[in-house]
Amino acid sequence: MVRRRRPRATPPPRDAIADQRRACALLDRLAALLRRMDHPRAPEVERLHVAFQTDPAAAWQQLDANAWWAGAGSLAAETLLEPETLPAAERAAAMQAFRSLLIDLAELLRARGPTNPGLSSWLLAFRNWDASGV
């Protein structure tokens, strides 16, 4: 007996404007958090938000780039370093907020289609850390 695969249902089309608005809202929150942490990549996140207003296609590519999701030096890897500029009592909450925002951005990217190969590893790590209270 030959098994035949059922054709996959075509997912409903994404609302590009809603996705763009969601990305911008998340980037705004991320930029504000990074500024509060005195993080050197805050201006980069702010520029990406502006890019969504002028060239959304390029902004989506930039958001999915290695600078965000590929190993050491990526923004995702920055979540491994506690912000020394914040009082010790605020650091854990800031790191959880940082990871949470990256989770939301990663899920938005995945919902739109194929993503950077590093994204799924970071997403899994962030979810595991959040589940274990790290």
Side-chain angles (χ1 to χ4, degrees), residues 28-77:
D28 280 344
R29 291 175 46 208
L30 181 58
L33 175 64
L34 294 177
R35 277 193 311 274
R36 190 168 65 89
M37 292 168 41
D38 198 27
H39 195 285
R41 292 186 68 177
E44 173 187 340
V45 175
E46 291 165 346
R47 285 190 301 273
L48 182 56
H49 177 259
V50 171
F52 268 102
Q53 308 310 312
T54 57
D55 189 354
W60 284 114
Q61 287 179 340
Q62 187 177 349
L63 182 58
D64 193 39
N66 288 347
W68 281 73
W69 306 106
S74 68
L75 188 61

Side-chain angles (χ1 to χ4, degrees), residues 8 13 20 26 29 37 39 44 55-56 69 71 74-75 77-79 84 88 98 101 107 110 118 133:
R8 288 187 177 179
Q20 184 176 336
L26 291 167
R29 291 175 46 208
M37 292 168 41
H39 195 285
E44 173 187 340
D55 189 354
W69 306 106
S74 68
L75 188 61
E78 297 285 330
T79 64
E84 297 294 322
F98 193 179
L101 288 164
E107 288 175 345
R110 285 179 68 176

Side-chain angles (χ1 to χ4, degrees), residues 80-129:
L80 300 172
L81 305 171
E82 283 196 350
E84 297 294 322
T85 58
L86 292 179
E90 295 178 27
R91 292 177 188 166
M95 296 310 289
Q96 287 178 332
F98 193 179
R99 286 192 304 265
S100 178
L101 288 164
L102 289 180
I103 287 170
D104 290 345
L105 285 165
E107 288 175 345
L108 179 58
L109 282 167
R110 285 179 68 176
R112 293 177 48 82
T115 60
N116 186 298
L119 184 141
S120 2
S121 296
W122 283 112
L123 187 55
L124 178 63
F126 294 155
R127 285 181 177 152
N128 286 337
W129 293 336

Side-chain angles (χ1 to χ4, degrees), residues 2 23 97 113:
V2 175

